[in-house]
Amino acid sequence: MSHNTFGHLFRVTTWGESHGPAIGAVVDGCPPGIGLEEADIQAYLDKRKPGQSRFTTQRQEADAVKILSGVFPDASGKQVTTGTPIALEIQNTDQRSKDYGDIKESYRPGHADFSYDAKYGIRDYRGGGRSSARETASRVAAGAVARRIIPGVKIRGALIQIGQIKIDRANWNWDEVNNNPFFSPDATAAGHWADYLDKIRKSGSSVGAIIEVVAEGVPAGWGAPLYGKLDQDLASAMMSINAVKGVEIGAGMGAAELTGEQNADEIRIGNDGAPDFLSNNAGGVLGGISTGQPVVCRFAVKPTSSILASRRTIDRQGHETEIITKGRHDPCVGIRAVPVGEAMMAIVLADHFLRHRGQIGV
Amino acid sequence: MSHNTFGHLFRVTTWGESHGPAIGAVVDGCPPGIGLEEADIQAYLDKRKPGQSRFTTQRQEADAVKILSGVFPDASGKQVTTGTPIALEIQNTDQRSKDYGDIKESYRPGHADFSYDAKYGIRDYRGGGRSSARETASRVAAGAVARRIIPGVKIRGALIQIGQIKIDRANWNWDEVNNNPFFSPDATAAGHWADYLDKIRKSGSSVGAIIEVVAEGVPAGWGAPLYGKLDQDLASAMMSINAVKGVEIGAGMGAAELTGEQNADEIRIGNDGAPDFLSNNAGGVLGGISTGQPVVCRFAVKPTSSILASRRTIDRQGHETEIITKGRHDPCVGIRAVPVGEAMMAIVLADHFLRHRGQIGV
Amino acid sequence: MSHNTFGHLFRVTTWGESHGPAIGAVVDGCPPGIGLEEADIQAYLDKRKPGQSRFTTQRQEADAVKILSGVFPDASGKQVTTGTPIALEIQNTDQRSKDYGDIKESYRPGHADFSYDAKYGIRDYRGGGRSSARETASRVAAGAVARRIIPGVKIRGALIQIGQIKIDRANWNWDEVNNNPFFSPDATAAGHWADYLDKIRKSGSSVGAIIEVVAEGVPAGWGAPLYGKLDQDLASAMMSINAVKGVEIGAGMGAAELTGEQNADEIRIGNDGAPDFLSNNAGGVLGGISTGQPVVCRFAVKPTSSILASRRTIDRQGHETEIITKGRHDPCVGIRAVPVGEAMMAIVLADHFLRHRGQIGV
Amino acid sequence: MSHNTFGHLFRVTTWGESHGPAIGAVVDGCPPGIGLEEADIQAYLDKRKPGQSRFTTQRQEADAVKILSGVFPDASGKQVTTGTPIALEIQNTDQRSKDYGDIKESYRPGHADFSYDAKYGIRDYRGGGRSSARETASRVAAGAVARRIIPGVKIRGALIQIGQIKIDRANWNWDEVNNNPFFSPDATAAGHWADYLDKIRKSGSSVGAIIEVVAEGVPAGWGAPLYGKLDQDLASAMMSINAVKGVEIGAGMGAAELTGEQNADEIRIGNDGAPDFLSNNAGGVLGGISTGQPVVCRFAVKPTSSILASRRTIDRQGHETEIITKGRHDPCVGIRAVPVGEAMMAIVLADHFLRHRGQIGV
């Protein structure tokens, strides 16, 4: 993809900086006639919204979305999409007035400060500017639109690892995900994480995490080999999220350790007469095309680089210095990445649904 | 990206099936005036070529590339690129005449047979058709062109894991890579792999692998946030390779287990006056933009799904059946994925070099 | 191009309907470090703004643009671009409350009412919705940004024909263009047009026009044959403007009447040692690449379809009916198309400048 | 569009130079299951083929197309598309061995020699290289594929003007088009053209022409406003053809001279109960979307710049010189542009058909 646009037929363009007046997205290519209210989008933004537990940043943002175009009442008075671009806008309201002197002149290790400066020669350093995780609100908003056009598909994400503490897959319970502040499908792991993150948080440190997103109800046939593969676009989508360093489909990196007998998912005919795969190492994708199994994607989020420990770095003039990143930060930014991962899954699937329908006609 | 084209300014379009008359690539957007002979490309194709050891498929393909357009002698008589599209073509010569009855009617587990049929209703089943790893020869050819336009960048790949046997990073020696049939940077691991793969091969089984590709000499500043990030495009590129199920940048999936203190790469000024990162968990990319450190990308390749064991599957009519995949196959297709990974790294970097030069002007 | 985005490296995405809360554009790919204030953009919007003479619609719109992202003060405190997407927004303020009953149910001949309904099954009928010429304000705003990145290029447009009354090219005076309400380079023609348009306006009719846009200072070499030709993208850009039915480069449609001797522009060496073309039938483009001559593009705008005469049409239910389009309309929408044409020329040239710099490196 | 690829879902990438070993196209995004034999394509290539009358170049090219990928026998044994890229290749066979000394060093006025050199610093000067009209054979081949996916649409082109001699529209007879060597729908005009072109040809001169292409059977609803309008893409497509300097839709440049009453096409209900437009000044497109009327597009082709008269020019070193272009050239290259224009119409419509189906789902 290119620059700040993602997608081919269903296209999302985002704009905005962390401490500018607003952020937003233009969603283009949405089919017409689909019911879309601000509330449909707001529900997902509220999942991502900061300040909802002590484990996320204390920045307070209403994250109230406005739809500025692309919708209109249909004959029954219900607001629906018109097929024209949908402009979504979220005001920034809690850009705390503060002294940015430190990060203005010095590069925070692990942040994009250095690389943005190297590329552009200038950066909006306030809160990370364009490279801030705040941009992911635009993704979540666009993802909410994407979900509306693939109604038969159920997309759910969960946090499955924080630091070295993994969930127990035997305990997986989707209903549990919204019962704890971690989107954990395993209540026991959630308890361990709470203890662990309290320590991390109080010490001013941070830690990484792994998210798993699963899409059920994707029919066989979506994807566009060889350079628009469904899993390729998922990898692209997830790696485009801030702080993501790895992406896996199905067996993922672990596929390296399997033999052909272990890996290849055998097929039978289910009671419903449809193909029934006996395992899902493929993660629902073979040859870049969906198989009808659940599409399973995982990604790893690195620890927030804003920590209280003093770190060695350099300043813009090339002098060695040290830096401590104060401010309101997520001890584990991976938590809030769950709804973001769901949104990107929705965007990729919506795009491939339209592309498939275009080429194949069903 | 879309369909069968990859890249934005440096664009590669591939075509061709495993058992058709030929395969090829059109390389578009290449700068003019760059020396390019068929031999420059052939050298890389020869690295990927099958049949070079007992550990790869015994299919014999000369993989001789022809340049059909886009080059012309310059004033000195040296053949150079002209800026117009470069058509590369490779004849298929060893499409063995055989009975494809089995795979024509039944879906090989782990292969794209089922999903291609689900999407298109028809597939060229001979040798996997379009979904065959044979297509990667086109990638390697295009990658050889890509390398020519980023001459200061050194791109090298290595196999670092087969099955559960990993290299010892303390033994890493790039010179060793071309001394063994595995592209292993660790001679000891190569020995273990030989023993292990002989067993796998003789039993008609297969196994997965992990490849690491490193690009040195990439200057800081390449990448196009937020949806054309350098690491995003690398993830897209690697996941588009056949059989790849996971992609990592820098610390990769392991970033989940790190704390902020462990992860964020501190910066000093080196003896040469340039920024000197004290570690490279970032894999050379921060905020989607290169930092000047080596760009490090890993990907996992699943085991070849063509194995001698009988596997449960279904046929096109939806009947349950079993299948054994005879033929000449790679016991570890990950080996030959090393030059393919290098090629995709080169293609992504060439594209981002041109895009960076376009937007920034340096 | 695709959907609501135009351009390849310099990309403009527009959104918004005539009577929605706002319209806007996201300008992506702009190089960093370029001075950009709202006033730089406003100057061009004011040229396009309605209600400035009796010859344009009496709708009153301040057309005040806001820059919501992508700029930041540089070290000297001057506001410059940062290389990130520039979101531009213009509030709609004069959406007159009125009864849209007529055009809600019936299709105005010559308007997009029928075709939008045929495609989408729904349309925002208020003031033409997405198909309104109001969208061109977004183009003008984006074009103002485009101009900033090709500072050596001078782009000027003029109206050269209204109805059957053409300017006399012997009278061409660029300084005259801003002295009359028609952007006419010929004061005499402007006088004739005023008389003619007063009649048209008073009778509730409308009339077409031809605009010529000239870019001076474009160096030789911009363009990307064969499917990203400079003139091809100009044709695409101009034809994308509302109501445009024809586009010409250089000699245009008249080239059909020329012989080879008349058409091909001979070349000499000028006093400055540079190539000096003796004519410009090519309109500054040969083989899709600029020659260094002025780039000359013309386009025809059809008459506004909103007229007071009763017209035969059908309604949404397929019944025959008649319609009179009341409201505030331009008797010659071609007048306000002059700054729009300039903007599209700027956008195309900015895009090709960046693409050329990317591929060639100068 | 970008570089050497045209289209969004139905994408055509062409490659090759006039005097290289071959030229070709990769057609990507074609739906599966569509019957496609080489003969289906050859029929259209034969229409464009040179040397069929004394009014076109005497270069002899078989223009025999080969399909190298993307097709396979279906269950009934009929060769059909598989949904994968279709590689088309045409050998160059009559690259006459000759001395290119003149055009190697000097720029032929009206040709792309100067601009290619200005951009790339090098060019394949043999027969015009990449900028040769020979590339249009690839377009015709791709267009033949495009026609197969919009079977209800009838696309026909005709020559309507050579020099100042126009057809009489009252004489328009589509059956006549293939009865004369000019694709003239007016037998009388064809006679006049024969006389006129004989003079032009014998004097070593050349002349321009206008082509009209009409697509019947396009349903209402195709097109993607605002920057992927159907007429915009047609303008882009036609202007990308060699030597084209102007493009018109419907009333075209003449729309400038119309009043609103004259221009806007009134609508009634026809005997078949469908909307019946009383005129077609719109050329079948309103607001960028098809109306169901015939899509009418015209374009002007400039005279061949290769003429026998001595012309003033400069050489690569910047010295003034004169040049005579010998060789086998078309006295009116517009004649052979008729099948090329048809092909581009087919490509644009096929692309928009798939895009429409993708977004709307019908």
Side-chain angles (χ1 to χ4, degrees), chain D residues 76-141:
Chain D
S76 72
K78 180 184 163 196
Q79 180 168 290
V80 299
T81 58
T82 61
T84 63
I86 301 165
L88 305 171
E89 194 168 299
I90 301 167
Q91 301 293 317
N92 288 329
T93 55
D94 187 28
Q95 313 101 302
R96 189 171 292 187
S97 166
K98 59 177 258 189
D99 174 20
Y100 288 101
D102 282 358
I103 64 171
K104 176 181 176 185
E105 292 302 324
S106 297
Y107 301 125
R108 294 166 297 166
H111 275 289
D113 303 345
F114 173 78
S115 55
Y116 267 65
D117 240 17
K119 184 177 191 78
Y120 298 117
I122 186 171
R123 68 193 153 94
D124 179 347
Y125 46 78
R126 301 167 305 162
R130 180 69 180 148
S131 71
S132 165
R134 175 135 190 78
E135 186 267 349
T136 59
S138 299
R139 297 172 185 244
V140 170

Side-chain angles (χ1 to χ4, degrees), chain C residues 69-148:
Chain C
S69 67
V71 294
F72 201 68
D74 69 7
S76 72
K78 180 184 164 198
Q79 179 167 292
V80 299
T81 58
T82 60
T84 62
I86 301 165
L88 305 171
E89 194 167 302
I90 300 167
Q91 300 294 316
N92 288 330
T93 57
D94 187 29
Q95 315 101 300
R96 189 171 291 188
S97 167
K98 58 177 260 191
D99 173 20
Y100 288 102
D102 281 0
I103 64 170
K104 175 181 176 184
E105 292 302 324
S106 296
Y107 302 126
R108 294 168 296 167
H111 276 288
D113 303 345
F114 173 78
S115 55
Y116 267 65
D117 241 16
K119 183 177 193 76
Y120 297 117
I122 186 171
R123 68 193 155 93
D124 180 346
Y125 46 77
R126 300 168 304 163
R130 180 68 180 150
S131 72
S132 166
R134 176 135 190 78
E135 186 267 349
T136 59
S138 299
R139 298 172 184 245
V140 170
V145 180
R147 284 174 188 265
R148 305 289 292 181

Side-chain angles (χ1 to χ4, degrees), chain B residues 140-219:
Chain B
V140 170
V145 180
R147 285 174 188 265
R148 305 289 293 181
I149 74 173
I150 44 171
V153 176
K154 183 182 237 177
I155 297 168
R156 294 183 292 194
L159 202 65
I160 62 169
Q161 182 175 340
I162 290 183
Q164 299 187 27
I165 310 172
K166 304 178 182 182
I167 61 155
D168 180 348
R169 285 187 174 264
N171 293 343
W172 194 296
N173 177 3
W174 280 116
D175 292 335
E176 178 58 30
V177 163
N178 293 316
N179 288 342
N180 61 72
F182 306 105
F183 304 110
S184 173
D186 173 0
T188 308
H192 297 320
W193 291 345
D195 296 342
Y196 177 61
L197 273 191
D198 274 333
K199 282 181 210 151
I200 288 284
R201 184 172 56 85
K202 286 170 184 163
S203 68
S205 184
S206 64
V207 70
I210 296 182
I211 291 92
E212 182 165 312
V213 181
V214 180
E216 292 169 282
V218 177

